[in-house]
Amino acid sequence: MKLLNYLKKSLAKNCCSEGDLINQEPIDRSDDYYIQYEKWLKTKKYQSMLASLYEAFLNHQSCCNNKDPFVSFLMISKINGFTMHYDAKRWTEEDFKYFFEYMAIYLVENHEFATVSSTQEVTEFSDKVEQVERYKLKNPALEVDYSAILIRLCYTSNQLTSIKFCGTCTPKRITNLAGLFKKMAAIEEG
């Protein structure tokens, strides 16, 4: 049995791109991190980032050719979400890092989500190393659009790559991802 397990693990490394989790620990932010986050918050850069998401979502729903090449959406019956790819011409790494933080904090403080877990993981593949910071949030209330949200900040070989947001739709609710972007950015109805 040991030989079979060894062979499966060895073959998986060579052919299936299955990585090895080499580190997993809770996210632990320093006081300096939160001082820098608060400074970033005062710049209100999150508003322009959320406005970009909102516009990308509207363009995603229409048949226009103005789709944002750095944002993709997942809209199925039970899950709504997006992936926002890092673009150094549009945002700094700090913008992306603190935007990830902003979304989690906003949902906890303004929509009564509870943090189920916050972890950072490092996974080693044969050709790269992936680092992911992850917040899992839950809200059992039936009057919210999403009962669970997963937000991930992703790095590949120490290069920032993306933010991924995935919301599990609350049963019997009509969800409004664009509305959530507007609330988070405090964008006024126009």
Side-chain angles (χ1 to χ4, degrees), residues 83-131:
T83 299
M84 184 180 220
H85 298 279
Y86 177 67
D87 177 18
K89 293 176 185 164
R90 291 170 79 175
W91 306 292
T92 67
E93 286 192 27
E94 286 76 24
D95 291 338
F96 236 58
K97 179 173 64 173
Y98 295 137
F99 183 59
F100 162 75
E101 203 73 43
Y102 172 78
M103 287 189 294
I105 291 171
Y106 175 88
L107 291 165
V108 168
E109 290 180 353
N110 296 290
H111 291 275
E112 299 178 11
F113 276 84
T115 303
V116 175
S117 68
S118 61
T119 58
Q120 51 189 16
E121 301 171 354
V122 179
T123 305
E124 186 173 43
F125 294 85
S126 61
D127 60 341
K128 63 187 174 194
V129 174
E130 290 183 354
Q131 177 186 351

Side-chain angles (χ1 to χ4, degrees), residues 70-86:
F70 293 97
V71 181
S72 56
F73 292 92
L74 172 67
M75 304 300 291
I76 58 177
S77 61
K78 294 185 181 188
I79 298 173
N80 294 172
F82 67 86
T83 299
M84 184 180 220
H85 298 279
Y86 177 67

Side-chain angles (χ1 to χ4, degrees), residues 21 23-30 33-34 37 82 84 93-105 115 117-123 129-137 149-156 158-166:
L21 182 66
N23 188 26
Q24 182 178 20
E25 58 190 33
I27 293 175
D28 185 23
R29 305 286 193 216
S30 68
Y33 177 92
Y34 283 115
Y37 170 75
F82 67 86
M84 184 180 220
E93 286 192 27
E94 286 76 24
D95 291 338
F96 236 58
K97 179 173 64 173
Y98 295 137
F99 183 59
F100 162 75
E101 203 73 43
Y102 172 78
M103 287 189 294
I105 291 171
T115 303
S117 68
S118 61
T119 58
Q120 51 189 16
E121 301 171 354
V122 179
T123 305
V129 174
E130 290 183 354
Q131 177 186 351
V132 175
E133 293 182 15
R134 174 181 298 132
Y135 286 115
K136 281 185 180 180
L137 310 171
I149 292 179
L150 177 65
I151 308 169
R152 298 171 30 152
L153 180 65
C154 307
Y155 296 83
T156 301
N158 291 322
Q159 298 294 313
L160 186 58
T161 57
S162 62
I163 292 176
K164 297 182 180 192
F165 177 100
C166 184

